[in-house]
């Protein structure tokens, strides 16, 4: 890890990390945070729980000639993640964008959970340059850049990025690789060139050319291609090849080919045979009838193999599953366990089932149901859930439970609830009181503004149900509390009293405070923080003890944060050190200070299990230094988060 850390000090700068291997961490392999002029070159970064490399709130960072592979082991994540860091509530009071990052010459190979090779979030991160990388094996795409001025040039290994239009009439041309071209509104011309491409014209009268390769032409709303009694907004596919191309209509609700009635589409050729039409004779409430034109006579060639009507089903089991959708419309069903569901593109149906689940619809109009358990609904980008002046691409959360569930908007930069302007969100209830919306009225350059819908009346929704800064805080009282986290990264603060803290999934921070507390991190890279020596102590003279018990500490993944206590390291328990002791039956390990304070209190922590030969100073933060360079196997990744 390279970062400024929690004090208000100048940012670390002019740092070069060359060579080495960074692997098997619970979080990121390499985290470059609140720093400037940093180069990471010639390293191998693999098998880490989160992103292989994360650049967060840093400037002028170069990621050059590295081998980055098989990361995102603990859930959906990018191999390389570029995003901002919000320290407005921290020591500096600043918001740090990542600017002028260069990702060049790397070999990037995704794991089963890797969403993108390089992902740049739309949170102020900008001016990134991504070029000459070899990217393969990722699940949702190769490169996705959110910055207005960021650039991508085609890489080797068949990689390409999403190519997206704006609100006007766009001309989008793909590369020789497999591209995803999104026209948005306007009368667009999309040309996939070579490669197996996905073309989505969006609203407007669009002209779509797949080019060479097996291409997918996707339509997600009736308004993408239709007739009315007085107007024609029919898209034209110029070069449909029935032997290898496909038309994806899975999000429209049609059941198949037929006579154009009762939910079917008719196949008709023009009188001269120059065009073929897929037509519905049934209009929606706005008088629109779906119609799509294909160049040439395709009658007799269109069938269930090349026209997709049903969503593909992706099912999990009773355990903890990671389910990743593609760019098509799909149904993801987590069943039991604490699952991570990411829809990808398309209008997806996500059902978490029982357990604490994390659901991210991705692009498209998605329907999200968490099921039983404390679920987190994540929106990673503005383009995941939004509306324009003429159309809605909002996701719908069907079963939000304000007592347990959370909505994670930490990647979007909103500050809280308000009037929907200046970075705030407005709560809006429809006239029938059966649907609640979270809205922001500030449009981006393409006329998009954030919106997400919740089924039901949630007019009393508060910021405690929203994750806005990357970690939700759960606060205890002065009595004995039971705090249970969900699938997100959370901060559990017990306060005084005998508390039971359980982080659940996610990279959590647990601080029991005063009293004899029981701390369970759950899955993820967790931090157990002790801010005062009296938070966990024993008084041998008085025969009293308030020793905290850590139930599930994982060496090499979790971290004991003792940086506020003034100890120098492990030793014999004297002269500012802590001694490591095992009980007689080998079931509990203790960290002890053999020297008492003026009242006879000795600092002491208990860990369930035998750590006498495994726990080391690498698992304990004794000081907060100005610059930390961590990342070897088993080293925690973010001490100041």
């Amino acid at each position: 890890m390279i970062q400024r850390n929690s004090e208000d000090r100048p940012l670390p700068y002019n740092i070069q990390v060359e060579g080495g291997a960074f692997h098997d961490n619970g979080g990121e392999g390499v985290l470059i945070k609140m720093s400037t002029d940093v180069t990471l070159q010639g390293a191998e970064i693999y098998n880490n729980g989160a992103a292989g490399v994360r650049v967060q709130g840093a400037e002028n960072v170069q990621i050059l000639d590295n081998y980055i592979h098989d990361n995102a082991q603990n859930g959906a994540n990018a191999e390389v993640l570029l995003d901002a860091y919000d320290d407005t509530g921290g020591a500096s009071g600043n918001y740090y964008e990542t600017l002028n990052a260069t990702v060049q010459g790397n070999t990037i190979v995704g794991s089963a959970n890797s969403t993108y090779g390089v992902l740049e979030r739309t949170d102020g991160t900008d001016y990134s340059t991504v070029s000459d990388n070899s990217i393969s094996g990722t699940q949702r795409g190769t490169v996705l850049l959110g910055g207005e001025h960021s650039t991508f040039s085609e890489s080797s290994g068949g990689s390409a990025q999403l190519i997206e239009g704006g609100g006007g009439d766009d001309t989008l041309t793909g590369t020789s690789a497999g591209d995803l071209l999104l026209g948005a509104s306007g009368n667009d011309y999309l040309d996939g060139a070579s490669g197996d491409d996905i073309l989505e014209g969006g609203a407007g009268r669009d002209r779509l050319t797949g080019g060479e390769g097996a291409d997918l032409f996707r339509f997600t709303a009736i308004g993408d291609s239709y007739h009315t009694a007085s107007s024609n907004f029919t898209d034209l596919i110029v070069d449909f090849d029935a032997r290898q191309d496909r038309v994806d209509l899975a999000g429209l609700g049609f059941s198949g080919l037929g006579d154009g009635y009762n939910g079917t589409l008719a196949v008709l050729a023009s009188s001269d045979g120059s065009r073929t039409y897929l037509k519905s004779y049934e209009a929606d409430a706005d008088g629109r009838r779906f119609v799509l034109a294909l160049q040439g006579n395709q009658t007799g060639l269109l069938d269930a193999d090349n026209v997709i009507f049903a969503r593909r089903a992706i099912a999990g089991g009773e355990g903890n599953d990671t389910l990743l959708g593609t760019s098509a419309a799909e149904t993801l069903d987590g069943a039991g366990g604490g699952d991570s569901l990411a829809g990808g593109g398309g209008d997806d149906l996500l059902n978490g089932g029982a357990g604490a689940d994390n659901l991210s619809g991705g692009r498209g109009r998605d329907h999200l149901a968490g099921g039983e358990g404390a679920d987190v609904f994540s929106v990673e980008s503005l383009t995941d859930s939004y509306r324009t002046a003429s159309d809605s691409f909002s996701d719908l959360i069907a079963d939000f439970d304000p007592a347990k569930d959370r909505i994670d908007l930490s990647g979007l930069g909103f500050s809280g609830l308000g009037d929907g302007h200046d970075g705030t969100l407005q709560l809006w209830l429809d006239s029938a009181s059966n649907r609640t919306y979270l809205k922001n009225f500030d449009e981006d350059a393409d006329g998009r503004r954030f919106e997400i819908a919740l089924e039901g009346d949630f007019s009393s929704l508060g910021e405690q149900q929203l994750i806005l800064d990357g970690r939700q805080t759960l606060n205890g009282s002065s009595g004995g509390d039971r705090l249970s986290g969900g699938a997100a990264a959370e901060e559990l603060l017990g306060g005084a009293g005998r508390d039971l803290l359980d982080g659940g999934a996610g990279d959590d921070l647990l601080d029991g405070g005063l009293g004899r507390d029981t701390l369970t991190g759950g899955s993820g890279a967790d931090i157990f923080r002790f801010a005062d020596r009296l938070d966990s102590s024993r008084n041998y003279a008085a025969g009293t003890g308030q020793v905290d018990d850590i139930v599930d500490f994982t060496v090499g993944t979790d971290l004991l944060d003792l940086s506020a206590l003034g100890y120098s390291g492990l030793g014999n328990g004297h002269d500012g050190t802590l001694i490591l002791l095992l009980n007689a039956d080998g079931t509990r390990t203790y960290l002890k200070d053999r020297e008492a304070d003026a009242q006879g209190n000795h600092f002491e922590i208990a860990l369930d299990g035998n750590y006498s030969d495994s726990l080391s100073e690498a698992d304990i933060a004794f000081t907060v230094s100005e610059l930390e360079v961590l990342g070897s196997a088993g080293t925690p990744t973010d001490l100041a988060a």
Side-chain angles (χ1 to χ4, degrees):
M1 177 187 2
I2 299 171
Q3 71 169 64
R4 185 208 67 191
N5 247 316
S6 57
E7 302 95 337
D8 186 14
R9 300 179 177 178
L11 301 184
Y13 66 95
N14 195 22
I15 300 162
Q16 177 147 348
V17 180
E18 188 164 355
F22 305 90
H23 58 92
D24 296 296
N25 295 291
E28 294 87 1
V30 176
L31 173 64
I32 302 171
K33 180 176 176 181
M34 292 188 290
S35 308
T36 62
D37 299 307
V38 178
T39 299
L40 173 65
Q41 186 168 16
E44 184 177 7
I45 303 157
Y46 64 97
N47 210 40
N48 297 287
V53 179
R54 183 176 186 179
V55 182
Q56 189 177 33
E59 295 187 19
N60 302 324
V61 174
Q62 298 187 86
I63 311 298
L64 308 175
D65 304 319
N66 302 284
Y67 182 26
I68 305 168
H69 64 98
D70 297 297
N71 295 289
Q73 293 294 317
N74 291 341
N77 215 316
E79 287 288 322
V80 178
L81 175 61
L82 313 176
D83 65 343
Y85 181 71
D86 187 357
D87 196 40
T88 53
S92 72
N94 295 324
Y95 185 87
Y96 294 97
E97 297 98 348
T98 287
L99 301 173
N100 299 312
T102 299
V103 183
Q104 185 175 37
N106 303 280
T107 298
I108 302 174
V109 181
S111 70
N113 296 333
S114 301
T115 53
Y116 295 93
V118 182
L119 171 61
E120 179 190 61
R121 287 185 172 160
T122 53
D123 55 8
T125 299
D126 205 352
Y127 297 96
S128 301
T129 300
V130 179
S131 64
D132 300 322
N133 302 285
S134 173
I135 305 176
S136 61
T138 54
Q139 304 303 311
R140 292 171 62 180
T142 51
V143 177
L144 179 58
L145 302 180
E148 182 179 356
H149 304 93
S150 296
T151 60
F152 168 85
S153 61
E154 186 181 350
S155 308
S156 62
S159 57
Q161 74 156 340
L162 177 148
I163 302 170
E164 188 172 15
D169 300 338
D170 303 301
T171 297
L172 306 180
T173 304
T175 69
S176 60
D179 301 304
L180 172 58
L181 285 75
L182 302 180
S185 57
N187 301 325
D188 306 311
Y189 176 70
L190 276 60
D191 184 350
S194 57
D196 298 340
D197 307 305
I198 300 169
L199 294 86
E200 182 180 325
R205 190 173 183 177
D206 307 308
R207 183 181 178 92
L208 312 175
T209 302
E212 297 178 10
D215 304 308
L216 179 72
F217 300 89
R218 186 171 67 195
F219 299 84
T220 64
I222 298 295
D224 287 353
S225 186
Y226 67 95
H227 264 174
T228 68
S230 59
S231 58
N232 180 4
F233 292 91
T234 302
D235 287 3
L236 172 65
I237 300 175
V238 174
D239 63 342
F240 188 80
D241 183 344
R243 297 167 299 178
Q244 61 178 352
D245 295 339
R246 293 177 297 158
V247 178
D248 181 2
L249 308 178
L252 304 189
F254 297 115
S255 59
L257 300 178
D259 61 2
Y261 294 95
N262 300 315
T264 66
L265 292 177
V267 180
L268 302 171
S270 62
S271 57
D272 61 0
S274 62
R275 284 191 182 175
T276 304
Y277 295 92
L278 280 168
K279 285 190 175 185
S280 171
Y281 295 110
E282 298 172 322
D284 66 6
D286 297 318
R288 300 177 299 185
R289 295 181 290 111
F290 179 78
V291 182
L292 172 64
L294 296 86
Q295 193 79 24
N297 190 341
Q298 304 282 346
T299 58
L301 301 177
L302 297 178
D303 54 29
D305 290 331
N306 49 38
V307 183
I308 302 170
F309 290 101
R311 290 181 172 87
R312 183 172 71 100
I314 304 172
E318 293 304 312
N320 299 334
D321 303 303
T322 297
L323 306 181
L324 298 176
T326 67
S327 55
E330 292 150 327
T331 298
L332 282 69
D333 190 349
D339 306 308
S340 176
L341 281 63
D347 296 346
D348 303 306
L349 301 176
L350 276 65
N351 180 22
D357 307 305
N358 192 306
L359 295 85
S360 174
R363 290 173 179 266
R365 301 175 181 88
D366 305 305
H367 184 279
L368 313 175
E372 298 179 7
D375 304 307
V376 176
F377 302 91
S378 300
V379 182
E380 299 176 1
S381 170
L382 174 61
T383 54
D384 286 354
S385 187
Y386 69 96
R387 70 168 302 113
T388 66
S390 59
D391 211 344
S392 172
F393 297 87
S394 302
D395 290 355
L396 173 64
I397 300 174
D399 63 345
F400 189 78
D401 183 346
K404 297 184 293 185
D405 296 339
R406 300 291 183 266
I407 303 173
D408 185 356
L409 308 177
S410 58
L412 304 186
F414 296 121
S415 59
L417 297 177
D419 62 1
H421 295 280
D422 300 320
T424 65
L425 295 165
Q426 184 187 71
L427 270 177
W428 187 82
L429 186 66
D430 70 358
S431 57
S433 297
N434 59 15
R435 189 165 288 185
T436 306
Y437 294 85
L438 276 171
K439 295 173 175 267
N440 177 263
F441 298 107
D442 300 325
E443 296 182 349
D444 69 3
D446 296 317
R448 297 174 297 202
R449 49 189 177 86
F450 174 77
E451 179 180 282
I452 192 167
L454 296 83
E455 198 70 56
D457 182 347
F458 293 98
S459 53
S460 61
L461 193 78
E463 291 184 8
Q464 64 270 27
Q465 280 87 36
L466 306 178
I467 302 173
L468 300 172
D469 59 358
R471 179 175 275 146
Q472 176 76 16
T473 300
L474 306 179
N475 289 295
S477 65
S478 59
D481 303 297
R482 179 186 289 270
L483 303 180
S484 298
E490 290 146 330
E491 186 170 320
L492 287 73
L493 307 178
R498 187 169 185 173
D499 307 310
L500 300 176
L501 275 57
D502 186 346
D507 299 341
D508 305 305
L509 186 149
L510 293 83
D511 186 335
L514 292 171
R516 186 177 180 180
D517 308 307
T518 301
L519 312 176
T520 303
S523 60
D526 303 307
I527 299 174
F528 300 90
R529 184 176 68 191
F530 297 85
D532 190 285
R533 296 192 184 195
L534 293 179
D535 284 353
S536 185
S537 64
R538 187 184 301 277
N539 192 311
Y540 291 94
T544 59
Q546 306 239 358
V547 177
D548 288 1
D549 180 28
I550 299 175
V551 174
D552 64 342
F553 189 84
T554 302
V555 169
T557 300
D558 295 336
L559 177 74
L560 295 173
D561 182 1
L562 311 182
S563 59
L565 305 187
Y567 293 110
S568 60
L570 297 177
N572 62 3
H574 295 280
D575 302 318
T577 67
L578 294 174
I579 190 170
L580 194 64
L581 297 174
L582 184 67
N583 67 354
D585 58 4
T587 59
R588 184 165 287 183
T589 306
Y590 295 90
L591 269 175
K592 294 189 177 190
D593 183 354
R594 292 191 179 278
E595 297 177 345
D597 64 12
Q599 287 74 41
N601 300 305
H602 298 256
F603 177 72
E604 183 175 318
I605 307 171
L607 297 87
D608 285 1
N610 186 343
Y611 294 91
S612 58
D613 295 324
S614 58
L615 193 73
S616 71
E617 292 186 356
D619 303 299
I620 306 170
F622 286 105
T623 63
V624 181
S625 59
E626 180 178 353
L627 172 67
E628 297 183 60
V629 181
L630 304 178
S632 58
T635 304
T637 59
D638 190 353
L639 305 184

